[in-house]
Each structure stands twice: as structure tokens, then as C-alpha cells.
């Protein structure tokens, strides 16, 4: 009602509140202007955020039920729609809505309700970074998204690891993101050590799509002269000895990235230029090409 307190729960039964977000989500693929409608409709975003905040108490200790996780994932799917749309992406950012998702990325439980929650939250952040926009990258860096992504890259499922690594990749591809990660040895080591551990784990459980994003992250790090010298000493041997030749057999683009990475690290480690030089033919044998 008009006199209701701010943030008060609607007076409808919970079951009634669950139906509209799910119904809207089912229509979002065919209704292209859903994002502006959601953003500008009175109270809609507030209701979605209320749904999100309502499960914070279930995060620690981790007692989140499958039903509660599903409700919030429906709300997050609608927020992803808003984050994806060119007319609502920046207002969405200026309202600091992504910060409401960070507690979900800060969880440790590997149960399915928590994993779905992390994956859907990463989907919202992934939607923001898909379009190259320095303002988006700046916001994410200032709000410490990288440590949260690194956590998922260490302990998430293959799919959530892939999305988290994609987000880090898109951040690195922006100049301010690369400068940020390479600004201190601690930041570089944090990213490099997680990437290295992921490479080792992929030797036992191959995932071409995850490996692709890892190699692209390494290649972008090699654009920074100091990072390139460091990679000369710490790049995992499995990227050099042909371990992943079979995995990359049908992915020529990633093979070229790896070949360029090996070239950059070889030349950069000797004090030479990093990028802009064609890969040396002598490196081809490492790729099985």
C-alpha cells in the first residue's frame, strides 16, 4: 500500500510471488525490450533485489535450499537480461546492482544450490563484460571482482570456472585491467597461480572451452613486459610439452594463441620484445603442428 514501510515484503503469499519472475523469464528470449521494461517499471528491480537479499542469512552457515536457490536464480536471470541490454547496462552499473551478487560469489559450499547461485551470478557479470566498455571494467576492478572470480576458478564446477575465467579474460583484455593485475607482484601471482593450478587439473579432466580462456589470459598477460619475463619462469610445462595437443586439435584459433604465447615468453624471457613478432617456426613442434 501507499503507507507501507520501505523494503517491506509484499502482502501476497510466497507462492504467488514466485510465479511472475519465472513466467517473465520464460518470455525474455522472445521479448527483446524486456530489459527497459523491467528497469523502468515501478518497484520491479526493488522486488528482485528483495528476493536476492532475502536469502543472505542462508549463506553462512550454508543452509540454502534448492527451492530458495531456484527462486533467486530466476531473479538473477532477469537481472542478466537488464545487464545485457545497451539501454540499461550503464544505469544498472551506476545503481551498483552487481554488488548485491558478490555475497553469492564469496561462498564455499559445493552443493548444487550454491553452485547454481554462483553460476547464475557470474552470468550477470559475464553479460556486463561481453561488451568492451572501460567503465564496466573500472567498476568491477574497484569493487574487487577479481578475487571473487579467482575463488570460483579454484573451487567451482567446470562451467562456473569457465565463466569466471572468461570474466578475468575480458578484464585483462582492457588496458586498465592488464595494468591493474600487473601493478604488483601479489596481484600477478594471485592470478598466475590460479591459472597454473587450473592447467594442471585440466591434464586429468580436459575441457577445451576452459583451456581456451586460460590460454587467452596467459597470452594477454604476456603483453606486459614485466609479466612476460615472469611467465618465462612460471608458465606451466604442460603448455610447452604438447600435453594439450589432442585437446586443441580442432581449435586452430587457440592453437595460434598458444603458439604466440610460447613465442612471447621465449623472446620476452631473453629481454626481447613481447608482441608484434610472428611466431618462430622452431616453436611449431611444441604444438604438434
Amino acid at each position: 500500500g501507499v503507507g507501507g514501510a520501505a523494503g517491506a515484503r509484499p502482502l501476497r503469499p510466497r507462492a504467488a510471488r514466485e510465479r511472475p519472475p519465472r513466467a517473465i523469464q520464460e518470455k525474455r528470449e522472445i521479448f527483446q525490450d524486456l530489459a527497459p521494461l523491467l528497469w523502468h517499471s515501478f518497484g520491479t528491480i526493488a522486488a528482485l533485489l528483495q528476493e536476492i537479499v532475502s536469502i543472505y542469512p542462508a549463506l553462512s552457515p550454508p543452509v540454502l535450499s534448492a527451492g530458495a536457490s531456484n527462486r533467486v536464480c530466476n531473479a538473477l536471470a532477469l537481472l542478466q537480461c537488464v545487464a545485457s541490454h545497451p539501454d540499461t547496462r550503464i544505469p544498472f552499473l551506476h545503481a551498483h546492482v552487481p554488488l548485491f551478487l558478490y555475497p553469492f560469489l564469496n561462498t564455499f559450499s559445493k552443493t548444487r544450490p550454491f553452485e547454481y547461485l554462483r553460476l547464475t551470478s557470474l552470468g550477470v557479470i559475464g553479460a556486463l563484460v561481453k561488451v568492451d566498455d572501460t567503465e564496466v571494467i573500472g567498476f568491477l576492478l574497484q569493487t574487487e571482482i577479481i578475487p571473487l572470480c579467482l575463488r570460483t576458478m579454484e573451487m567451482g564446477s567446470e562451467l562456473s570456472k569457465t565463466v569466471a575465467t572468461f570474466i578475468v579474460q575480458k578484464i585483462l583484455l582492457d588496458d586498465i585491467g592488464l595494468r591493474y593485475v600487473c601493478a604488483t607482484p601479489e596481484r600477478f601471482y594471485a592470478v598466475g597461480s590460479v591459472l597454473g593450478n587450473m592447467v594442471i587439473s585440466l591434464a586429468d579432466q580436459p575441457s577445451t572451452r576452459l583451456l581456451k580462456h586460460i590460454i587467452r589470459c596467459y597470452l594477454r598477460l604476456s603483453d606486459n613486459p614485466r609479466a612476460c619475463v615472469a611467465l618465462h619462469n612460471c608458465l606451466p610445462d604442460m603448455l610447452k610439452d604438447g600435453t594439450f595437443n589432442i585437446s586443441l586439435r580442432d581449435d586452430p584459433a587457440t592453437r595460434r594463441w598458444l603458439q604466440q604465447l610460447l613465442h612471447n615468453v621465449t623472446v620476452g624471457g631473453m629481454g626481447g620484445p613481447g608482441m608484434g613478432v610472428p611466431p618462430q617456426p622452431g616453436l611449431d613442434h611444441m604444438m604438434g603442428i
Side-chain angles (χ1 to χ4, degrees):
V2 176
R9 283 187 174 276
L11 298 179
R12 292 177 292 160
R14 175 173 288 276
R17 284 194 291 116
E18 290 174 22
R19 284 195 296 270
R22 187 179 298 120
I24 295 173
Q25 186 192 336
E26 290 169 356
K27 300 290 191 297
R28 70 190 183 111
E29 294 299 329
I30 58 175
F31 187 19
Q32 295 186 349
D33 289 326
L34 176 59
L37 183 62
L38 288 171
W39 185 254
H40 295 293
S41 296
F42 179 78
T44 302
I45 298 298
L48 295 176
L49 294 179
Q50 180 182 333
E51 193 72 69
I52 287 169
V53 171
S54 70
I55 67 160
Y56 283 177
L59 301 181
S60 183
V63 293
L64 183 64
S65 69
S69 174
N70 187 54
R71 283 198 308 274
V72 174
C73 286
N74 282 330
L76 290 171
L78 294 177
L79 290 184
Q80 180 174 338
C81 177
V82 176
S84 302
H85 197 284
D87 294 342
T88 52
R89 183 174 60 251
I90 296 304
F92 180 84
L93 203 66
H94 289 169
H96 290 192
V97 176
L99 297 182
F100 286 89
L101 282 52
Y102 285 16
F104 303 152
L105 301 178
N106 203 27
T107 56
F108 293 92
S109 174
K110 293 188 177 183
T111 62
R112 189 167 294 179
F114 279 92
E115 178 58 28
Y116 285 163
L117 199 57
R118 280 191 295 269
L119 179 59
T120 315
S121 299
L122 288 167
V124 179
I125 307 299
L128 285 172
V129 300
K130 270 186 180 178
V131 178
D132 298 329
D133 189 324
T134 296
E135 184 175 0
V136 170
I137 303 302
F139 173 86
L140 295 175
L141 290 175
Q142 291 167 11
T143 54
E144 297 289 321
I145 189 63
I146 288 183
L148 295 175
C149 286
L150 294 179
R151 174 169 295 168
T152 299
M153 289 159 67
E154 287 183 304
M155 52 81 68
S157 66
E158 179 202 335
L159 188 52
S160 61
K161 282 182 178 181
T162 302
V163 180
T165 309
F166 168 76
I167 293 169
V168 171
Q169 171 190 317
K170 293 295 285 186
I171 290 173
L172 286 171
L173 287 173
D174 191 287
D175 288 343
I176 67 167
L178 182 63
R179 284 198 300 269
Y180 177 91
V181 169
C182 297
T184 69
E186 292 78 14
R187 289 178 188 168
F188 173 81
Y189 177 77
V191 174
S193 62
V194 171
L195 290 174
N197 289 337
M198 292 171 75
V199 169
I200 293 171
S201 67
L202 285 179
D204 297 325
Q205 297 177 309
S207 168
T208 303
R209 61 182 177 179
L210 179 53
L211 180 61
K212 176 179 182 176
H213 294 304
I214 293 171
I215 290 173
R216 190 64 186 92
C217 285
Y218 272 127
L219 177 57
R220 178 56 172 162
L221 285 171
S222 74
D223 283 355
N224 180 278
R226 288 194 303 167
C228 194
V229 171
L231 288 174
H232 181 75
N233 299 315
C234 69
L235 193 70
D237 289 337
M238 290 177 177
L239 291 178
K240 307 173 186 176
D241 62 12
T243 296
F244 298 108
N245 283 353
I246 295 177
S247 299
L248 298 179
R249 182 175 50 200
D250 299 322
D251 190 344
T254 305
R255 285 207 312 271
R256 285 195 298 271
W257 288 346
L258 179 54
Q259 189 179 8
Q260 183 69 61
L261 168 64
L262 296 175
H263 168 71
N264 292 353
V265 170
T266 301
V267 174
M270 296 186 297
M275 290 292 288
V277 183
Q280 295 174 334
L283 293 174
D284 287 353
H285 72 278
M286 298 183 185
M287 295 298 302
I289 298 174

